[in-house]
Amino acid sequence: MKGIAAGIGVVVLSPLLLAGTAMMMASSSEAATTASFSGCLTGLDTAEVTKEVTKILDGASGKDVHIQGLDLPAEQIPNAQTIVATGLSLDVPKKGQIVAIATAMQESRLRNLNSGDRDSLGLFQQRPSQGWGTAQQIRDPVYASEQFYKHLLKVDGWQQMKVTQAAQAVQASGYPDAYAQWEDLATALQKAIAKTFPNAGKNKPAKDTESASGAGMCTPDKDGTSFGRIPEGSVPKGYKIPKDADPKARAAIEWAMHQLGTLYQWGGSCTDSHGPDPMGRCDCSSLMQQAYAHADVKLTRTTYTQVNEGKSVSAKSLKPGDLIFSRGTAARPEHVGMYMGEGLVIEAPRTSKPVRITPIKDWDILAARRVL
């Protein structure tokens, strides 16, 4: 893709990592080119890596965090987290996530670079001139990760390849063997980060037609069709929160509506959906959790646990603020939204889609819960 392996800007690596490695440092606006590599990171203590990763994800500054191979953990670990979260949201197997992290380590040292060889940018040093997207898109870690995975999944037999071979099949680097040196570190990071996501890696249950008690497969009298087509991220013309809505439900709905148009992020906390950190964006259950947190109502974090919150209600008797669940099974649904009244639901739907309002007719309701 670039005829360059490192793409690390002006980052200076430790002597251990540079042992046996010839480096030619470019200007500060260019990535460094690795002529050869050695000093592979092997024998990493995964438990120790997990402990250090957790420090960063819990808000530590990085000053006292030490992970072999990472010189700027406060910057690098959140980027690795985004890569893993994006892979999980796209159902990319664990090996694919490892390939992605190893690639980003080699190309940018897990830094979201503003420059590189020729017009290369971002975590994976993707090039606008080669069809990877606009410069602005490539600088979005979620978009860049999605693009890497989409290209990887198109490679025939990538799961049977070595990590460095799979990475090279996507990147077409001038140093095809260079990715191998990061495999152990990428494996440790993927394992440590995946543990922080609820239910990551667990087998999803087969879909069936089981319904929750009292919910059924029916919908309320109003199905939202009267609003016509609803542009993604917008409020339907004429919609108002019903006057008889519970005050706390009203507060939760209003807060959720302020997140409209922000992009979905699997595993995102929904604590800063308009901010620069992708992990501050919302997924379906964190949108519910944070909306109700702003109404002084505490909900658990995941769809799998929220389906047990409050009490079960019939889908024909929904009130504004009720949680509705779909996909999977009634006992273990995979998606959640909030009923807004007037036959409308607000949701964070899936990767690459924004928080939006949809008509309830589009929902195959498996369960409904009233949390007030």
Side-chain angles (χ1 to χ4, degrees), residues 12-21 39 71:
V12 179
L13 298 180
S14 66
L16 175 63
L17 292 179
L18 290 177
T21 301
D71 294 303

Side-chain angles (χ1 to χ4, degrees), residues 115-346:
S115 61
D117 179 59
R118 286 168 284 188
D119 60 339
S120 300
L121 296 166
L123 290 175
F124 299 93
Q125 290 290 278
Q126 295 157 339
R127 298 178 59 191
S129 64
Q130 298 298 311
W132 287 88
T134 66
Q136 182 178 8
Q137 288 174 323
I138 291 171
R139 285 270 298 144
D140 180 339
V142 175
Y143 174 90
S145 299
E146 288 175 352
Q147 290 301 306
F148 179 86
Y149 285 127
K150 288 177 181 178
H151 283 74
L152 176 65
L153 296 176
K154 291 179 181 178
V155 176
D156 289 338
W158 71 268
Q159 293 198 62
Q160 285 71 52
M161 296 178 181
K162 294 180 179 179
V163 167
T164 193
Q165 293 172 328
Q168 173 64 7
V170 175
Q171 299 296 96
S173 168
Y175 304 97
D177 298 324
Y179 304 100
Q181 63 187 314
W182 306 112
E183 182 173 347
D184 279 13
L185 175 60
T187 301
L189 288 174
Q190 190 281 335
K191 184 174 182 179
I193 292 169
K195 286 182 178 179
T196 69
F197 291 104
N199 300 294
K202 293 186 178 180
N203 294 327
K204 294 181 179 179
K207 293 186 177 182
D208 63 24
T209 57
E210 177 189 0
S211 301
S213 174
M217 301 294 289
C218 51
T219 57
D221 293 335
K222 292 184 179 180
D223 61 7
T225 55
S226 62
F227 291 98
R229 180 182 173 276
I230 306 172
E232 287 192 336
S234 69
V235 179
K237 185 177 180 180
Y239 170 78
K240 293 182 179 179
I241 301 174
K243 293 181 179 179
D244 61 352
D246 184 287
K248 290 188 175 181
R250 178 180 294 275
I253 293 170
E254 287 178 346
W255 189 90
M257 289 171 65
H258 280 95
Q259 318 315 311
L260 285 169
T262 61
L263 286 177
Y264 175 99
Q265 174 60 52
W266 196 93
S269 66
C270 201
T271 53
D272 187 16
S273 66
H274 295 275
D277 183 2
M279 298 313 297
R281 300 173 187 166
C282 310
D283 65 13
C284 65
S285 55
S286 66
L287 177 62
M288 303 299 105
Q289 182 189 48
Q290 291 303 315
Y292 265 112
H294 284 78
D296 295 322
V297 176
K298 186 176 181 180
L299 296 183
T300 52
R301 173 63 182 84
T302 72
T303 304
Y304 304 132
T305 54
Q306 287 176 3
V307 75
N308 297 313
E309 301 275 7
K311 64 179 181 180
S312 176
V313 294
S314 167
K316 276 191 174 182
S317 305
L318 293 178
K319 293 183 178 180
D322 287 347
L323 305 185
I324 62 173
F325 299 83
S326 66
R327 306 176 197 165
T329 69
R332 193 174 173 81
E334 299 171 3
H335 186 55
V336 60
M338 183 184 297
Y339 186 61
M340 303 171 63
E342 303 300 318
L344 298 176
V345 182
I346 190 166

